[in-house]
Amino acid sequence: MSTTTNRVLPEGLPAPSQDGLARPYWDGTRQGRLVIQKCRGCGRHQWGPEWVCHRCHSFDLGWEEVAPRGRIWSWQRPHHPVHPALNGHTPYTIVLVELPHADGVRMVGNLICAPDAPVTIGAEVEAVFEPHDEADPPYTLVQWRVRGG
C-alpha cells in the first residue's frame, strides 16, 4: 500500500460525500488505511456501507481495517468521459477487486496502468491511496496497481 503523487484522476471532479454512514471509510483513506464494515453479529465483512448486515440483518455493524490487497474480478475501459474534468483523460481502466482477506467483498476503483495495458482476471493488486488535497473538502481515493508490476 502506498500514497501516489502520479494521479489517476485529474483535479476538478466533484468530491465524494464523506459524512454519515461512510465517514469511517473516508477517514481511513486519508490515513492510508483500507477500512470497511464488519458485522458484530455474524462477524462478516461487507461493502458498500449499509445500516444493516447483508447476511444476518443485524444492525450492530462496526468498521475494521483490512489488508489493502486483492484480485481483479472484472474490469472495463471507458473511452468516453463521464464528467467534463475527464476530457482528454480517457481511456482509463476500472477494476472490480475482490478482497480475499475480507470475506471476498468487492470494491471498484481505477487500475493504475497505461491506457492500452492488458488486464488479467485474477491478477493480484494492491491499494494505492490517491490524495485530492485541493478539493473542498479534501479526500483520498483508493486506486489499484498490479502487485510486482
Side-chain angles (χ1 to χ4, degrees):
M1 123 186 104
S2 66
T3 301
T4 182
T5 54
N6 297 330
R7 299 199 10 195
V8 174
L9 295 177
E11 291 182 24
L13 290 169
S17 175
Q18 300 173 54
D19 58 0
L21 184 58
R23 180 70 183 212
Y25 169 77
W26 292 109
D27 289 347
T29 64
R30 292 297 288 168
Q31 300 166 11
R33 299 171 39 234
L34 186 56
V35 178
I36 64 172
Q37 277 187 319
K38 184 173 184 181
C39 179
R40 294 183 184 111
C42 67
R44 302 291 300 262
H45 295 91
Q46 69 180 25
W47 185 256
E50 295 287 345
W51 295 107
V52 64
C53 176
H54 298 170
R55 290 180 179 86
C56 74
H57 304 140
S58 169
F59 289 96
D60 191 12
L61 295 162
W63 291 82
E64 179 178 279
E65 184 174 2
V66 298
R69 295 183 308 277
R71 291 186 294 259
I72 296 175
W73 178 262
S74 184
W75 66 280
Q76 69 175 349
R77 188 165 284 145
H79 289 263
H80 301 285
V82 296
H83 187 277
L86 293 173
N87 286 336
H89 295 280
T90 60
Y92 54 95
T93 304
I94 300 171
V95 289
L96 181 61
V97 174
E98 183 180 58
L99 305 177
H101 304 297
D103 300 310
V105 299
R106 297 180 189 133
M107 302 180 81
V108 174
N110 293 305
L111 184 65
I112 300 172
C113 65
D116 60 349
V119 179
T120 304
I121 300 295
E124 293 186 6
V125 292
E126 63 186 354
V128 176
F129 296 89
E130 180 181 279
H132 288 256
D133 297 333
E134 77 290 344
D136 184 24
Y139 63 94
T140 299
L141 290 177
V142 174
Q143 311 290 18
W144 301 93
R145 73 170 161 223
V146 175
R147 290 184 69 185

